[in-house]
Amino acid sequence: MRTTEWKTYRTRFLIKARQLTEPLVFVDVLGREHRGSPGDYLIESSDGCRSIQRRAIFEDIYVPLGPANQTEGSGLPAAPALASSPRHRISARQGTAL
């Protein structure tokens, strides 16, 4: 899976997101299929769940905080650490959550 670097964004909740550079299809831990195209965003919430958001919607809603985990001087708390549990990893080759 080729994507850009993780960046931290803020709405009501802090998330991390990567913009896709190629199509991505995966099934999450609840059995839901997610599909994204280049330009869409792969989102990871603070509990480690991942989903895909279309570019137009994502860029309308989310506000970038700068480089990953860099909130110093922004007046905002640092982003919570994201879980890196094997069950949330995504295999682009297999298209399923591991």
Side-chain angles (χ1 to χ4, degrees):
M1 169 180 66
R2 289 182 38 195
T3 61
T4 57
E5 294 290 318
W6 284 108
K7 293 182 183 177
T8 302
Y9 292 82
R10 178 178 183 266
T11 62
R12 276 180 50 194
F13 307 101
L14 291 178
I15 56 107
K16 286 196 174 185
R18 292 178 139 174
Q19 192 167 24
L20 300 177
T21 57
E22 61 186 34
L24 175 67
V25 178
F26 68 94
V27 177
D28 66 18
V29 295
L30 298 176
R32 298 175 297 197
E33 183 176 274
H34 297 263
R35 293 179 173 271
S37 301
D40 293 342
Y41 287 83
L42 175 63
I43 297 172
E44 185 173 294
S45 63
S46 60
D47 65 1
C49 291
R50 292 184 176 180
S51 63
I52 293 177
Q53 183 63 259
R54 299 287 174 234
R55 180 180 184 172
I57 294 170
F58 181 90
E59 292 177 352
D60 187 48
I61 295 172
Y62 293 94
V63 177
L65 294 179
N69 293 325
Q70 193 174 51
T71 57
E72 187 174 324
S74 70
L76 298 171
L82 295 175
S84 63
S85 167
R87 68 183 180 136
H88 296 295
R89 288 185 312 181
I90 298 170
S91 168
R93 188 177 54 183
Q94 295 174 349
T96 58
L98 298 175

